Amino acid sequence: MWEQNYTPVAGSLGWSALVAAIPIFVLLILLGVLRKPAWLAALVGLTATALVAGGVYGMPLGKLAAAVTLGAANGLFPIGWVVFSAILLYRITLESGKFEILKDSIGHLTSDPRLQALLIAFAFGAFIEGAAGFGTPVAVAAAMLTGLGFEPFYAAAICLLANTAPVACGSIAIPITTLAVTTGLPVDRLSAGVGRICAPVSLFVPAYLILVMSGWKGLRAVLPAAAACGIAFAGTQFAISNFVNAQLTDILASMAAMVALIVVIQLRGEKRPPQSRTAGEIFHAWAPYALLVVFVLLWGYPPIQTWLKQFDMRINWPGLHNTIQRMPPVVAKPSGYAAVYTFARISASGTACLFAAILAALVTGLSPRQFLRVLGHTAKQLALAELTLAAVLGLAFLMNYSGATATLGLAFAATGALFPFFSALLGWLGVFLTGSDTSANALFGTLQVVTAGKLGMNAVLMASSNSAGGVMGKMISLTSIAVAAAATAMKREDEALLLRFTLKHSVLLASVIGLIVVFYAYVMPAWAP
C-alpha cells in the first residue's frame, strides 16, 4: 500500500503546492500564451504531470501508468461517447437537409442572434444539461448555433459561458448526489445550499451572456428578454432546489426560461419573415432533437435508470484499486483510494444520444449508405478531440492519485478566515482539472467538510460552495474546450484563443460565487442552509 504524501518538497505545503501546480502552468502557457492546439497541450501537460508524480511525489511507475489509463478510459467513455453521439445526431440533420428547415423555424420565431443564443445556448442547453450533462449541452447547442450562421469561435464561446448556471444540478443532479455520498451530508440540504449560491448568479448570466456577445448597446435592445430569462430560471432554480429536489431543478428551470423567452419574443412584435414551411415539415425537422429529449429523459427516469444500470460493468482497475492510501487531513482517517471504472454501455447518456441518432436517421429518411458516411465523417472530425479528452482525463486522474491535487486543495484550505471565498475557488480548480463538477465534488468534498469543522464553519455551506464554484471552472476545462471545438469544427489555432477568451469570465464569475459564500458565512449566516 503506497501512502500519499501531500508535502513532498521539504515538508512545505507552499513549495509542494507550487510544484504540484506545474502541469497547470504548462497547460496555461501552451494554450494561453503559445497558442498551441488543445491536443498538443494536453499531451505535454500529461507528460509534465507524470514527471511531477514520479519524480517529486515518488509514485510507483505501475500505479502511475494505471492512473493514466483509468483517466484515459473515462475520457473516452462516457465523456467522449457523449460527444460522438451528439455530433452524430447533428450531422444527421445536416445530411438529411432537415437542419435548414429547423433553422428557418427558429428564424421565424426570432431572427435576432442574441435571442437565438438565449434560446439555444442558455435555455435549451440548460435543459440538456439537466437531463444528460457530461458535455452533451455544449456539443448540441454549439453545433446548432454554428448551423444557424454563428461564427464557430463565438458559437463555442457563447455555449461555454451559458453552460454554467445549470451545471451543479446537471445530469439529474449527479454532482450533488455524489457530494452527499462523499461527505455524508443530507442531499436535501446540499441541494438547498447550491440553489442559494447559484440562483443569484443565474439571475444575471443571460444578461452577462448578451453583454459579452454584443456590448451594452446590444444588451439594452434585448434587456427585457434577458431579464425575463434570468428571473424565470433563477427563481425556479431556487424554488425547486430548496423545496422540491435537486433532480428536477435544471429541467424545470430551463423550461421556465424557454417559456419566458417565447412570451417576451411574442410581445416584442418583431417583424419576421413569412413562414414558408408547413407545420408537418417543421415537426419533422425538429424530430431528431425531440427524440434526443425523449431518450435522455427516459434514461434519467429512476426506474428505467435502475434497470439500465444492471448492464453496467464495474471494473476494479488493475494495479490501482485500493493500492493507494489517502491520508488525513484530506480524509478523516487513512483509507484506501478506490479506482473503479464503470463501463456503462447501456445506461450512459451517450447511448441515449446514439439511439436518438439512429432513430433520427430513420425518421429523416437517410439510407444505410448515407448513415455510414455520416458515421465516418463524425469519427474523422472528432479524432483529435477524443485524443484530447483521453489525455486531459489521464492528467486529472494522475494528479488525483499521486496526491498533487490534494496538495493544491490543502493550500486553499490553509487560507483560514478567507476560506469561504477560496472554498468556491477550490471547486473551480477541481472542475478545471477534471472537466466535471461530479469529479470535483468527489475529489474535494471531504476536504471542504474537514476544513470547515476545523475552522468552526458551516459544513453544508462549504461543501455546497465546492459544487457551486465548480460550475465556473467548466468553461475553461480542456474537456469542455475540446467538446466545443469539435462541435463547431473550429480552427485548431482558435482553441487557444477560446481558453484566453473564457478565462477572464471564468475567474470573474468564480470570484462572484466566492463573495456570495462569504456573504452567507459572515454577513447572513441565518440564510445559509
Side-chain angles (χ1 to χ4, degrees), residues 242-515:
N242 276 268
F243 305 115
V244 183
N245 60 43
Q247 287 81 0
L248 291 174
T249 297
D250 281 349
I251 291 173
L252 294 180
S254 61
M255 291 175 68
M258 282 188 269
V259 170
L261 276 171
I262 292 170
V263 169
V264 173
I265 289 170
Q266 295 297 328
L267 291 175
R268 287 180 86 209
E270 178 183 333
K271 287 186 177 180
R272 298 187 293 271
Q275 181 59 267
S276 59
R277 310 287 187 174
T278 67
E281 286 177 318
I282 294 172
F283 177 81
H284 206 203
W286 276 98
Y289 289 103
L291 287 168
L292 174 65
V293 170
V294 169
F295 273 98
V296 294
L297 287 177
L298 284 174
W299 255 240
Y301 182 56
I304 294 177
Q305 191 177 68
T306 301
W307 182 78
L308 292 172
K309 283 184 178 295
Q310 68 179 316
F311 300 104
D312 290 358
M313 294 175 61
R314 292 176 60 83
I315 302 168
N316 294 336
W317 205 253
L320 190 63
H321 179 63
N322 284 334
T323 65
I324 294 175
Q325 193 159 33
R326 303 175 79 192
M327 305 297 291
V330 172
V331 289
K333 59 182 180 180
S335 56
Y337 201 163
V340 181
Y341 175 67
T342 302
F343 181 51
R345 47 188 172 175
I346 306 297
S347 64
S349 54
T351 305
C353 290
L354 179 66
F355 279 121
I358 292 171
L359 277 181
L362 293 173
V363 168
T364 56
L366 285 190
S367 68
R369 176 176 293 181
Q370 286 176 304
F371 179 74
L372 289 175
R373 184 168 66 242
V374 171
L375 202 64
H377 286 168
T378 304
K380 184 178 179 180
Q381 176 185 342
L382 295 179
L384 285 178
E386 297 287 349
L387 173 62
T388 304
L389 292 172
V392 168
L393 268 293
L395 180 158
F397 274 61
L398 181 54
M399 287 191 69
N400 296 352
Y401 282 94
S402 68
T405 304
T407 298
L408 294 172
L410 289 171
F412 276 102
T415 54
L418 295 176
F419 183 65
F421 179 80
F422 286 101
S423 172
L425 294 187
L426 184 55
W428 174 81
L429 175 67
V431 176
F432 168 69
L433 290 174
T434 65
S436 164
D437 201 44
T438 302
S439 298
N441 286 344
L443 190 61
F444 289 139
T446 300
L447 178 61
Q448 296 272 15
V449 172
V450 171
T451 305
K454 289 183 177 180
L455 297 175
M457 295 179 177
N458 183 329
V460 173
L461 177 63
M462 295 303 105
S464 300
S465 76
N466 193 84
S467 193
V471 307
M472 299 308 172
K474 189 82 169 177
M475 70 176 86
I476 58 168
S477 73
L478 282 193
T479 305
S480 297
I481 288 173
V483 169
T488 56
M490 79 165 53
K491 300 173 186 174
R492 294 294 168 198
E493 56 268 26
D494 283 349
E495 292 178 359
L497 294 176
L498 189 58
L499 174 65
R500 295 176 68 180
F501 178 85
T502 55
L503 181 59
K504 56 182 178 290
H505 302 295
S506 179
V507 172
L508 174 62
L509 293 172
S511 298
V512 171
I513 292 283
L515 291 174

Side-chain angles (χ1 to χ4, degrees), residues 118 202-213 215 219 223 226-227 230:
L118 288 178
S202 300
L203 195 63
F204 69 80
V205 164
Y208 186 84
L209 186 66
I210 301 303
L211 180 63
V212 170
M213 222 180 127
L219 174 59
L223 187 57

